[in-house]
């Protein structure tokens, strides 16, 4: 006697089961689901909005108002904040013992950032950005590696409705300025160095160049690029207001 195969418990299979229960529409394999997704754009994307329970203080009028490219308009009337979507399950995820971020790196032991700590630091940083005068639609740039502070800065930026752009500190000033000049950022998060290949790489001169060449920047938040790396506000010189990440994200 052969056991009947069981369906794998994946997000995709859960969505397919939910869709069948909700609308009676059975899309049992990937090919049929894909075909529906490209032939009924409003039905597919509207179902995903409902399945993931996307939150908006105002209801959307229609899933897709103008199906042309370029110029398509999706979910007009809705107001969605990415940070809110990410953090809305923070308490339940924490109760389930799931960390928000697991991180490591050269000179840094594997560590975890809990959901309550992430939410608190994002809220504190968002308040500081508002104190700096950041308005919805304005730009916040970063010259940072992949570290937890970068995630906190990004989520804080998204939470106040600003636009985020980040460049790796391995990039030189010319390529970074080519990108950031186009968006005219108001705030710059930057590290003055990073650690790679067993060596510390000083980027203080690059940071000074970025500040000098980005006249729209009114505030700079200095972030340690790696454990044990200090920030040196005095080395920046005259210009925008300088603060440390630790001060800006303190609750």
């Amino acid at each position: 006697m052969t056991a009947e195969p069981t369906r794998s418990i994946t997000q995709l299979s859960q969505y397919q089961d939910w869709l069948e229960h909700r609308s009676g529409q059975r899309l049992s394999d990937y090919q049929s689901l894909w075909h529906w997704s490209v032939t009924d754009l409003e039905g597919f994307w509207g179902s995903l909005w409902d399945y993931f329970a996307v939150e908006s203080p105002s209801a959307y009028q229609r899933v897709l108002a103008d199906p042309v490219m370029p110029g398509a308009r999706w979910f007009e009337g809705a107001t969605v904040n990415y940070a809110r979507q990410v953090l809305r399950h923070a308490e339940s995820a924490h109760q389930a013992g799931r960390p928000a971020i697991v991180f490591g790196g050269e000179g840094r032991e594997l560590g975890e950032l809990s959901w309550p700590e992430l939410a608190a630091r994002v809220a504190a940083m968002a308040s500081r950005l508002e104190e700096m005068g950041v308005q919805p639609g304005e730009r916040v740039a970063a010259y940072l590696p992949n570290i937890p502070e970068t995630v906190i800065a990004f989520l804080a930026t998204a939470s106040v409705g600003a636009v985020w752009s980040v460049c790796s500190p391995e990039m030189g000033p010319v390529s970074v300025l080519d990108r950031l000049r186009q968006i005219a950022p108001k705030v710059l998060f930057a590290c003055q160095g990073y650690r790679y290949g067993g060596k510390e790489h000083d980027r203080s001169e690059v940071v000074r160049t970025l500040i000098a060449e980005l006249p729209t920047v009114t505030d700079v938040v200095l972030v340690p690029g790696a454990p044990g790396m200090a920030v040196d506000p005095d080395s920046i010189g005259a210009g925008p207001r300088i603060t440390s990440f630790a001060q800006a994200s303190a609750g």
Side-chain angles (χ1 to χ4, degrees), residues 186-200:
K186 186 165 190 173
V187 175
L188 175 67
F189 288 84
C191 67
Q192 293 172 292
Y194 66 97
R195 187 176 290 116
Y196 180 75
K199 298 179 181 179
E200 292 189 1

Side-chain angles (χ1 to χ4, degrees), residues 13-69:
S13 65
Q14 290 180 49
Y15 165 70
Q16 290 170 304
D17 291 342
W18 172 89
L19 188 65
E20 182 178 3
H21 181 266
R22 177 177 181 258
S23 64
Q25 190 167 9
R26 181 163 180 77
L27 302 169
S28 58
D29 55 48
Y30 180 85
Q31 187 66 24
S32 60
L33 179 59
W34 171 82
H35 184 265
W36 178 60
S37 74
V38 297
T39 55
D40 184 5
L41 296 178
E42 289 195 69
F44 173 69
W45 290 104
S47 74
L48 284 183
W49 177 285
D50 295 337
Y51 176 70
F52 287 109
V54 177
E55 296 180 353
S56 170
S58 56
Y60 64 82
Q61 301 159 9
R62 184 175 177 182
V63 174
L64 180 58
D66 196 358
V68 296
M69 286 296 289

Side-chain angles (χ1 to χ4, degrees), residues 83-166:
R84 179 179 180 180
Q85 303 302 319
V86 169
L87 296 171
R88 64 181 173 150
H89 298 303
E91 184 58 34
S92 59
H94 180 63
Q95 292 298 326
R98 298 174 180 171
I101 300 174
V102 178
F103 58 91
E106 290 191 40
R108 173 178 252 167
E109 293 183 2
L110 196 65
E112 295 182 352
L113 187 66
S114 71
W115 281 102
E117 184 179 0
L118 176 63
R121 296 184 71 182
V122 168
M125 184 63 74
S127 295
R128 181 56 65 92
L129 289 175
E130 289 178 329
E131 290 172 5
M132 294 173 180
V134 176
Q135 300 293 321
E138 290 189 311
R139 280 72 60 201
V140 173
Y143 186 60
L144 295 174
N146 291 325
I147 53 179
E149 290 83 353
T150 307
V151 178
I152 292 167
F154 158 63
L155 290 174
T157 297
S159 74
V160 300
V163 178
W164 170 261
S165 180
V166 62

Side-chain angles (χ1 to χ4, degrees), residues 143 171-174 176-177 180-181 188-193 202-215 217 220-222 230-240 242:
Y143 186 60
M171 297 171 62
V174 174
V176 175
L177 287 169
L180 299 189
R181 280 194 181 113
L188 175 67
F189 288 84
C191 67
Q192 293 172 292
D202 184 18
R203 308 306 276 168
S204 298
E205 186 58 38
V206 177
V207 174
R208 285 192 290 269
T209 300
L210 297 181
I211 294 171
E213 297 295 329
L214 295 171
V217 171
V220 175
V221 181
L222 294 179
V231 296
D232 183 11
D234 294 335
S235 69
I236 300 299
I242 309 293

